[in-house]
Amino acid sequence: MSKKIIPFVVAIIMSCLVMAVAAVFAFGGLVAAEKFGSSSAWSQPYNTAESMKVIDLTGDGQDELFIQNTSNVSVFDGAGNILWNFDYSTPKTTLGDVNNDGVEDIIVYHSGAGSAVDVISKGQAQTIAKSLSIGTPARNAVIRFPSGPQIVLGDSSGALLSVGTNGQTTWQNVFSSEEIRGMDDALVGGQMHVAVASHDGTVAVIDEQGNVIWQIRQEQLRRMRAFDLNGDGNSEVITGGEYGAFFIYSAVDGSVLFNQSLGQAVSEVRTVELNGDPSSREIVVGGKEGGVWAFSFDGVTAHQLWTGSLSDKVTEISGLDINEDGKEEAVLGDDLGKVAIFTEDGTRNNLPSHSSGITRIDIGKLGGERYVVIADYNQVEVTKVNFSSIPGFKFVPLLVGLIVSAVMLVIAAILASIPPKPELKVSFQDKSRESLEAERRMLKESIADVERLRKSGEMTGESYLARLKRLRADLAENETAFKTAGFQIRVETFKCPNCGGTLELGMDKCEYCGQVTLS
């Protein structure tokens, strides 16, 4: 291969590698054209929130912030001022309009006065049931059965109890022997039922009389949610297991629609409208070791959209259409206080971290502004999330790659245009007699060394011939320099190896027998 072509070959190979890397950055989302940031509007001290929701609780058309921890229930207005707060023993809360006034109420299942249920309506608390035959609160939900709403309670030992809005017990069920881990409303044939799951892996759908429609048992369970994912009037029951089992069951009969092992305990499951298509729902799953998965459900089964990760256990997932394009972004928090936004294609954008683990995230309007509300172990913070997009920024890596490739090709052209280094020749011009004699001795010694190497087999015939020709040419130039300078020179001779005739040193053919002396 010509030495002038080699720089171009190397430059083309390197250019291909550079463009391949640029394409990965441009189309793999590593350099995003969309950026998200946030700024804090206000914050208030609040320890270890267990439940939180931005919702209108006063009926004035403006949303408030409801929040509950292990000993307190509070409501803040849009500016961060406390509207009301109540202290309870081990409360579990849910929201629902139980008095039919068109305003959501806070239903508190707590351990005061035995096991009791309070309803907080527009800041006024009323105990509607007490001394109930159920244990330490674990879960509760307002389920709007066909015959009317019921408040379904689940305790830490697996018992279920349902009371009407008047506080009267409607049914009771010993569901399992372990803590109730999930409770949600579920549609079956367009009629409302309740889906329940316990830590021992028992999952069931129950009707308004407390009758079990179906029941299954899977591995130990951490999370359960129920959603009508495709709008067909029948919900899907989604569970996440202690050892990574992710299931989607039909709420109609408990048949398995989808299952996959995620390799780590499932710590949270939520639906997020990632693709903007209301005919289907996307599911975002968080793991105990920080794994994040997004699935799309088409009404028959689910398929994985993308995977991502956080630094620690995923503690909360919520959805927000930040850039108002009809698609929600998934906002996630972890147990180290990291908060990140994942877009439709799984690109991750980090928001400012918190000093303690994230416990709850919700989204809504407070004071007319749309906020992301983030609760950690120490406080609740209301933040304004902003979005910026740089048109064409996605293709900057490709442009940079083209520029770098062009520079490499220019360098290759310069290298190819450099003339070859001239052959090193010994110059005998303007030398003293002593210098010429020293050079002559050096050339003779070099010729002797070449002869020795040939005889010992350390030099091939072609190399020997080429080297000897060059040395003899240098020796002839040396003799010419002697004559030009007017110095006397004794002619060196050698014997022909074939006939023994005397020949002048430098001759390559015997003038007596015709023997070639170089070979």
Side-chain angles (χ1 to χ4, degrees):
M1 183 183 293
S2 172
K3 291 184 178 179
K4 291 184 177 293
I5 297 177
I6 291 176
F8 286 102
V9 173
V10 174
I12 290 171
I13 293 173
M14 293 182 67
S15 297
C16 290
L17 292 174
V18 168
M19 292 306 298
V21 173
V24 170
F25 273 80
F27 299 108
L30 299 177
V31 178
E34 300 176 339
K35 297 295 180 185
F36 297 88
S38 68
S39 57
S40 178
W42 55 264
S43 63
Q44 290 286 0
Y46 201 86
N47 296 327
T48 320
E50 289 187 341
S51 183
M52 185 173 71
K53 183 69 176 176
V54 177
I55 193 169
D56 183 8
L57 295 171
T58 61
D60 63 355
Q62 298 292 317
D63 287 344
E64 289 78 39
L65 175 63
F66 153 75
I67 191 165
Q68 169 251 313
N69 63 15
T70 57
S71 60
N72 176 266
V73 175
S74 292
V75 174
F76 295 89
D77 67 13
N81 303 307
I82 292 182
L83 292 181
W84 62 80
N85 73 91
F86 300 90
D87 292 331
Y88 286 100
S89 174
T90 62
K92 297 296 177 182
T93 56
T94 190
L95 300 173
D97 182 10
V98 297
N99 57 10
N100 294 315
D101 64 353
V103 179
E104 294 292 293
D105 305 310
I106 304 170
I107 296 89
V108 186
Y109 166 29
H110 60 97
S111 296
S115 291
V117 175
D118 280 17
V119 174
I120 303 173
S121 179
K122 298 179 183 178
Q124 302 298 314
Q126 178 187 5
T127 300
I128 64 169
K130 59 183 178 180
S131 302
L132 297 171
S133 56
I134 191 169
T136 304
R139 290 287 190 279
N140 65 330
V142 175
I143 308 297
R144 296 196 172 279
F145 291 112
S147 61
Q150 296 180 28
I151 302 169
V152 182
L153 315 175
D155 69 14
S156 59
S157 61
L160 298 175
L161 185 144
S162 178
V163 298
T165 56
N166 58 3
Q168 297 298 311
T169 298
T170 55
W171 54 266
Q172 193 164 6
N173 188 328
V174 179
F175 181 67
S176 73
S177 60
E178 295 188 27
E179 178 186 13
I180 300 298
R181 282 293 183 91
M183 185 180 293
D184 214 342
D185 52 25
L187 286 171
V188 176
Q191 298 294 314
M192 196 64 71
H193 292 64
V194 60
V196 184
S198 73
H199 180 256
D200 68 2
T202 303
V203 183
V205 167
I206 299 171
D207 68 13
E208 60 185 332
Q209 284 83 37
N211 301 313
V212 175
I213 304 300
W214 58 263
Q215 180 172 305
I216 58 97
R217 186 77 171 266
Q218 62 163 73
E219 73 176 33
Q220 285 185 325
L221 184 141
R222 294 178 64 90
R223 285 291 181 270
M224 187 279 293
R225 307 285 183 194
F227 307 100
D228 184 0
L229 294 173
N230 58 342
D232 64 352
N234 294 308
S235 294
E236 285 72 41
V237 179
I238 306 169
T239 66
E242 192 75 55
Y243 305 102
F246 174 65
F247 277 89
I248 300 178
Y249 300 100
S250 167
V252 176
D253 56 11
S255 58
V256 176
L257 302 177
F258 178 78
N259 75 90
Q260 180 173 319
S261 177
L262 301 182
Q264 57 186 271
V266 175
S267 57
E268 189 55 277
V269 177
R270 297 284 186 184
T271 59
V272 180
E273 188 52 72
L274 291 171
N275 64 7
D277 181 1
S279 65
S280 64
R281 299 295 296 273
E282 288 72 59
I283 308 158
V284 178
V285 183
K288 189 177 181 180
E289 297 173 20
V292 182
W293 298 263
F295 296 90
S296 177
F297 185 78
D298 61 8
V300 178
T301 187
H303 65 274
Q304 185 170 295
L305 297 175
W306 48 260
T307 64
S309 65
L310 292 181
S311 302
D312 206 326
K313 181 177 75 173
V314 177
T315 53
E316 184 64 303
I317 302 170
S318 191
L320 170 64
D321 184 3
I322 298 172
N323 53 2
E324 298 182 350
D325 62 352
K327 303 175 182 179
E328 288 185 340
E329 287 72 40
V331 185
L332 287 83
D334 72 13
D335 209 26
L336 280 181
K338 306 294 183 182
V339 182
I341 295 175
F342 288 85
T343 58
E344 178 189 6
D345 60 2
T347 301
R348 172 178 167 173
N349 293 266
N350 294 326
L351 295 183
S353 297
H354 286 234
S355 59
S356 62
I358 306 302
T359 60
R360 286 293 176 267
I361 297 175
D362 196 36
I363 291 143
K365 285 188 175 182
L366 291 171
E369 291 287 336
R370 192 169 181 81
Y371 291 109
V372 175
V373 186
I374 304 171
D376 59 30
Y377 287 114
N378 300 316
Q379 66 175 5
V380 56
E381 182 179 31
V382 175
T383 61
K384 181 72 174 178
V385 176
N386 53 70
F387 165 78
S388 62
S389 177
I390 305 174
F393 184 76
K394 174 179 181 179
F395 302 104
V396 167
L398 294 178
L399 178 61
V400 173
L402 288 172
I403 294 173
V404 172
S405 298
V407 170
M408 288 192 292
L409 289 172
V410 170
I411 293 174
I414 294 173
L415 292 175
S417 65
I418 297 175
K421 184 178 180 180
E423 184 180 355
L424 180 64
K425 299 286 290 182
V426 179
S427 176
F428 300 103
Q429 301 298 320
D430 301 325
K431 294 289 184 74
S432 66
R433 183 182 182 89
E434 290 77 9
S435 296
L436 290 172
E437 288 178 346
E439 288 164 350
R440 185 176 179 80
R441 285 193 301 272
M442 179 188 71
L443 290 170
K444 288 181 178 180
E445 290 172 357
S446 296
I447 291 172
D449 288 339
V450 170
E451 291 287 355
R452 178 180 57 79
L453 291 172
R454 181 182 69 84
K455 290 178 181 179
S456 66
E458 298 179 45
M459 179 177 286
T460 64
E462 290 183 0
S463 300
Y464 163 76
L465 182 62
R467 180 64 176 154
L468 194 57
K469 279 184 176 180
R470 181 177 295 177
L471 289 172
R472 286 186 176 179
D474 290 343
L475 187 60
E477 288 186 12
N478 178 269
E479 291 178 355
T480 300
F482 262 99
K483 293 175 182 178
T484 302
F487 302 139
Q488 293 295 322
I489 182 171
R490 184 171 63 85
V491 177
E492 301 287 341
T493 62
F494 70 101
K495 291 185 179 295
C496 173
N498 185 46
C499 66
T502 301
L503 303 173
E504 185 178 347
L505 187 65
M507 295 181 65
D508 57 4
K509 187 175 183 180
C510 179
E511 59 185 4
Y512 302 109
C513 65
Q515 173 72 32
V516 176
T517 60
L518 290 179
S519 59

